[in-house]
Amino acid sequence: MDTNNAVWIVVAVLVAVVVIGLVVLATRKAGNKRRAQEADRIREEVDQESRHVEKRAAMLEETEAKAHAAKAEADAKAAEAARLANTAASHRDTVTSAREDLDSRREHADKIDPRSPRTSRDDDANSAERMKPDASAR
């Protein structure tokens, strides 16, 4: 009976090893399936977030293009403003010069016009000045 018991023990051990192996295999398979499902879920989230990021990247490119266009427009406006300021300064200089010329011509006309009140006063002052005795001659 000892051999019979030894055979049963060996058979029992083999059955136990096979059962434990099947349980380990089933557990591993279930774990692999669970990890595969988790990986699929993560990939789906990544795909969704990737689409969202691509939309944001498109918005970024559009916004950058608008910013570049606005800057170019602003630079053009600034250049136009500078050109207009230079033109205005040139006109201002011309107007100032023309006014000075007109004032000078008006004064000259007043000086040579005997009817001008300025001329008679100036002539009177010059006559009075000429009539004073020369202080340096004494």
Side-chain angles (χ1 to χ4, degrees), residues 93-109:
D93 292 344
T94 303
V95 166
T96 301
S97 176
R99 283 181 178 161
E100 289 172 354
D101 184 50
L102 291 173
D103 288 344
S104 173
R105 290 174 58 197
R106 190 175 291 118
E107 284 180 23
H108 178 67

Side-chain angles (χ1 to χ4, degrees), residues 11-74:
V11 170
V13 168
L14 287 175
V15 170
V17 168
V18 169
V19 168
I20 291 173
L22 290 175
V23 169
V24 167
L25 187 61
T27 305
R28 183 175 281 173
K29 189 174 182 179
N32 286 344
K33 184 178 179 181
R34 199 172 46 251
R35 285 195 301 271
Q37 288 173 341
E38 178 70 10
D40 289 343
R41 185 188 61 76
I42 291 171
R43 284 187 187 98
E44 187 176 320
E45 286 177 5
V46 167
D47 287 344
Q48 287 175 354
E49 289 179 22
S50 178
R51 285 189 295 273
H52 180 70
V53 167
E54 291 306 315
K55 285 180 185 177
R56 290 194 71 147
M59 284 186 354
L60 164 69
E61 290 175 7
E62 181 181 342
T63 304
E64 283 179 337
K66 286 179 182 178
H68 181 70
K71 185 179 182 325
E73 185 178 338

Side-chain angles (χ1 to χ4, degrees), residues 111-131:
K111 281 184 182 179
I112 64 171
D113 186 0
R115 300 167 296 172
S116 174
R118 283 177 140 176
T119 306
S120 62
R121 273 188 262 128
D122 290 344
D123 287 344
D124 292 343
N126 287 337
S127 297
E129 196 61 41
R130 280 182 287 205
M131 294 181 142

